[in-house]
Amino acid sequence: MASGTTMFTFTVQLSDVDRGVYEELDLRLARHPSETTEFMVTRMLAYCLEYQEGIAFSDGGVSTSDEPAVLVRDLTGQLTAWIEVGAPASDRVHRGSKRAGRAAIYTHHDASRVLELLDGKKIHRAEHIPLYSFAPDFIESAVAEVKRRNAVTVSIMERHLYFDINGTSLETPVIEHRFR
């Protein structure tokens, strides 16, 4: 663990009705000094919303440039999904889309600004890469409840996220945007 890194634990009850995924997850997230709590919460939500066998947080955390925040590998170790968080550079999204069978972005920023930054850039199969965002103030409200140890319930139904963190209930649509 890097100097200045803070560990957070999230005990998650995941119920994704849309995909038929029901799991109990014990997530340990190391928040790098350069990572905001907003980014960390969005990273944790991306993991839950993308959950499948072989999913993992990148080994190098947010400080690595050759892996996304969240990735999925199949049983052979082949990269099958590249999940970026925040407002990634176009070259990262391009590289991820070429390396994995699927790419996606989850953002805690204004989605229109992220799209503006990426639209028109060279991105492999950009039309197939979804950008997901949440209702305004949702991430900030979630961040206000984060502690070092967290009990979380994540329920997804019809792309609507019901989120309970440490006894505080929040909800938001998971909004999908596409590149033009």
Side-chain angles (χ1 to χ4, degrees):
M1 189 162 64
S3 176
T5 298
T6 306
M7 289 301 298
F8 291 83
T9 59
F10 293 85
T11 301
V12 180
Q13 295 296 320
L14 174 62
S15 174
D16 188 335
V17 176
D18 294 347
R19 298 184 304 131
V21 174
Y22 306 94
E23 295 287 336
E24 183 172 321
L25 310 171
D26 288 314
L27 305 177
R28 293 175 44 105
L29 280 81
R31 193 183 84 203
H32 189 271
S34 67
E35 179 181 15
T36 65
T37 306
E38 290 81 3
F39 186 97
M40 181 186 69
V41 167
T42 305
R43 184 164 56 108
M44 185 268 300
L45 288 171
Y47 184 99
C48 292
L49 290 162
E50 293 286 335
Y51 184 81
Q52 61 184 286
E53 189 171 329
I55 196 165
F57 294 111
S58 88
D59 287 336
V62 296
S63 61
T64 184
S65 62
D66 58 342
E67 287 187 342
V70 178
L71 51 85
V72 179
R73 295 188 186 280
D74 65 15
L75 294 174
T76 68
Q78 178 71 30
L79 186 64
T80 61
W82 181 284
I83 314 301
E84 289 285 356
V85 172
S90 61
D91 61 324
R92 287 180 59 85
V93 179
H94 174 74
R95 182 174 53 250
S97 182
K98 285 184 81 167
R99 286 188 57 198
R102 181 176 169 282
I105 303 167
Y106 286 81
T107 191
H108 54 288
H109 299 292
D110 177 353
S112 63
R113 299 273 321 243
V114 176
L115 284 171
E116 189 178 294
L117 291 170
L118 296 173
D119 271 341
K121 301 286 197 270
K122 180 183 173 189
I123 298 175
H124 181 71
R125 297 173 28 113
E127 67 279 5
H128 298 287
I129 302 172
L131 169 70
Y132 297 107
S133 67
F134 307 100
D137 301 326
F138 170 77
I139 295 293
E140 290 78 16
S141 296
V143 163
E145 302 303 323
V146 171
K147 299 177 176 134
R148 296 285 296 275
R149 288 185 168 73
N150 301 276
V152 175
T153 301
V154 175
S155 300
I156 303 105
M157 187 181 319
E158 296 179 0
R159 291 309 282 174
H160 198 89
L161 173 65
Y162 300 91
F163 185 68
D164 184 275
I165 179 166
N166 302 321
T168 298
S169 296
L170 306 166
E171 62 180 88
T172 179
V174 180
I175 307 161
E176 182 175 332
H177 308 269
R178 292 291 178 160
F179 294 96
R180 297 184 243 347

